Amino acid sequence: MNVPLSTALSGISAANERLRASAANIANLAAGHENRPSVEPTNVDKVPDREINPANEVVEQQSAAYAFVANLKVLQTQLNTTGALLDIKA
């Protein structure tokens, strides 16, 4: 797999994880758990639990959705470019 495809797929995965974590935070808030568990990459020190703010979670979900769509566009463009190059060489 080439680097642009790998980068786009990694970005899609990261945006998906951000959205999942934010949704879990909202669910925890509804269940009465007021602390936000840290969801950080494994190679970074964990951040202490912090209070869940629903407004921040909505912004996080919207940001993750935009990142997801942007990475899908990058993936689509790369696949279209690769297809065009294959058509030229055929």
Side-chain angles (χ1 to χ4, degrees), residues 40-86:
E40 300 294 329
T42 55
N43 61 347
V44 177
D45 292 335
K46 296 227 180 234
V47 191
D49 288 348
R50 48 188 180 200
E51 191 173 320
I52 298 171
N53 181 337
N56 289 348
E57 296 303 329
V58 169
V59 171
E60 175 64 16
Q61 289 177 6
Q62 194 65 45
S63 173
Y66 286 142
F68 190 92
V69 170
N71 280 290
L72 280 176
K73 292 289 185 184
V74 169
L75 181 61
Q76 182 182 27
T77 301
Q78 182 62 33
L79 291 174
N80 288 343
T81 302
T82 301
L85 287 173
L86 289 174

Side-chain angles (χ1 to χ4, degrees), residues 13-55:
S13 178
N16 186 50
E17 181 60 22
R18 286 175 52 205
L19 190 55
R20 187 210 57 78
S22 183
N25 289 338
I26 294 294
N28 286 339
L29 182 63
H33 304 300
E34 301 267 338
N35 288 331
R36 178 182 182 165
S38 126
V39 178
E40 300 294 329
T42 55
N43 61 347
V44 177
D45 292 335
K46 296 227 180 234
V47 191
D49 288 348
R50 48 188 180 200
E51 191 173 320
I52 298 171
N53 181 337

